[in-house]
Amino acid sequence: AQKVTQAQTEISVVEKEDVTLDCVYETRDTTYYLFWYKQPPSGELVFLIRRNSFDEQNEISGRYSWNFQKSTSSFNFTITASQVVDSAVYFCALSVQTGANNLFFGTGTRLTVIP
Amino acid sequence: DTGVSQNPRHKITKRGQNVTFRCDPISEHNRLYWYRQTLGQGPEFLTYFQNEAQLEKSRLLSDRFSAERPKGSFSTLEIQRTEQGDSAMYLCASISTGTGSYNEQFFGPGTRLTVL
């Protein structure tokens, strides 16, 4: 069975602070994919990143960076110099290559950036 | 490419009524998913279609739920005899599996159902 845990329910930071959102996953499949999605107040899920299980190289995209560590089954997301527009709910998700390839989501972390 | 669209965006109904939602995926996407998201939770998988074939249903999809994708394009999700517990956001996502590589699922804006 697949499972994603986002232990941080809510985080508040002051604008320009850095913030890291944690994600821990469980799967017995050797081939899997990890995702981060952003859900702003409008409700639409916005894709941020996908990593496959064979690529542990960390990635940076502007103010966003991701740290994938198979040894700890974690896929953490860091926002540098946070901005008010970053306020949203962030979901970590997992899919495996077998079956429906559906996404298994965590419960999300609500990030509030205070101006 | 106009993205995934869903209609209606909001639906309020009385308990016991039937409701139907529509999803129009990105045109070249052959796979379509339905998810349900309740307040404070992440989306949960309901069912998916590969072209017009419904290939898997989760245990969340009770007998009151039915989904179709008659021509492999748009899809409908119908809930019969709605219950208050059906109140949720219903999300549709589509993906193209034809390239041989795994791409991200593109989500629509969702239909928010409120059952009174």
Side-chain angles (χ1 to χ4, degrees), chain B residues 33-53:
Chain B
Y33 294 83
W34 284 100
Y35 293 83
R36 182 175 71 183
Q37 184 179 17
T38 54
L39 199 61
Q41 300 297 315
E44 295 174 290
F45 168 72
L46 292 178
T47 188
Y48 88 103
F49 292 84
Q50 179 81 20
N51 299 311
E52 66 276 8

Side-chain angles (χ1 to χ4, degrees), chain B residues 2 9 18 30 37-38 43 48 50-52 56 58 60 68-69 74 90 92 106-107 109-110:
Chain B
T2 58
R9 294 292 307 277
N18 298 345
N30 55 343
Q37 184 179 17
T38 54
Y48 88 103
Q50 179 81 20
N51 299 311
E52 66 276 8
E56 188 166 326
S58 84
L60 293 176
E68 295 182 342
R69 194 183 183 198
F74 73 90
Y90 291 84
C92 175
F106 292 86
F107 281 84

Side-chain angles (χ1 to χ4, degrees), chain A residues 25-45:
Chain A
Y25 63 92
E26 296 176 32
T27 180
R28 292 183 179 179
D29 286 57
T30 55
T31 302
Y32 53 89
Y33 303 86
L34 296 164
F35 302 78
W36 277 95
Y37 281 85
K38 175 181 180 180
Q39 190 173 45
S42 61
E44 189 160 350
L45 283 164

Side-chain angles (χ1 to χ4, degrees), chain A residues 2 25-35 49-59 67-75 93-98, chain B residues 102:
Chain A
Q2 334 305 330
Y25 63 92
E26 296 176 32
T27 180
R28 292 183 179 179
D29 286 57
T30 55
T31 302
Y32 53 89
Y33 303 86
L34 296 164
F35 302 78
I49 190 173
R50 179 192 78 246
R51 305 299 288 175
N52 71 54
S53 51
F54 300 109
D55 183 4
E56 286 191 73
Q57 186 174 8
N58 292 328
E59 184 162 336
N67 183 358
F68 176 26
Q69 292 194 343
K70 288 179 76 171
S71 60
T72 55
S73 297
S74 65
F75 186 44
L94 163 74
S95 72
V96 297
Q97 202 170 30
T98 55
Chain B
Y102 191 85

Side-chain angles (χ1 to χ4, degrees), chain B:
Chain B
D1 182 354
T2 58
V4 179
S5 62
Q6 292 187 245
N7 288 288
R9 294 292 307 277
H10 302 273
K11 179 69 178 179
I12 300 174
T13 191
K14 293 182 179 179
R15 188 177 54 186
Q17 298 295 306
N18 298 345
V19 294
T20 300
F21 312 140
R22 175 177 170 128
C23 170
D24 288 87
I26 294 172
S27 58
E28 65 270 22
H29 285 186
N30 55 343
R31 190 173 283 192
L32 185 150
Y33 294 83
W34 284 100
Y35 293 83
R36 182 175 71 183
Q37 184 179 17
T38 54
L39 199 61
Q41 300 297 315
E44 295 174 290
F45 168 72
L46 292 178
T47 188
Y48 88 103
F49 292 84
Q50 179 81 20
N51 299 311
E52 66 276 8
Q54 186 174 17
L55 297 185
E56 188 166 326
K57 304 178 191 179
S58 84
R59 287 174 293 178
L60 293 176
L61 213 65
S62 76
D63 291 344
R64 297 183 297 104
F65 287 69
S66 62
E68 295 182 342
R69 194 183 183 198
K71 297 182 179 179
S73 56
F74 73 90
S75 176
T76 57
L77 177 67
E78 181 183 14
I79 309 174
Q80 296 182 327
R81 305 180 303 281
T82 52
E83 302 173 355
Q84 288 183 327
D86 297 330
S87 295
M89 175 79 87
Y90 291 84
L91 295 162
C92 175
S94 69
I95 186 174
S96 173
T97 61
T99 62
S101 63
Y102 191 85
N103 299 308
E104 69 273 11
Q105 296 185 15
F106 292 86
F107 281 84
T111 295
R112 183 169 297 281
L113 172 67
T114 302
V115 181
L116 302 176

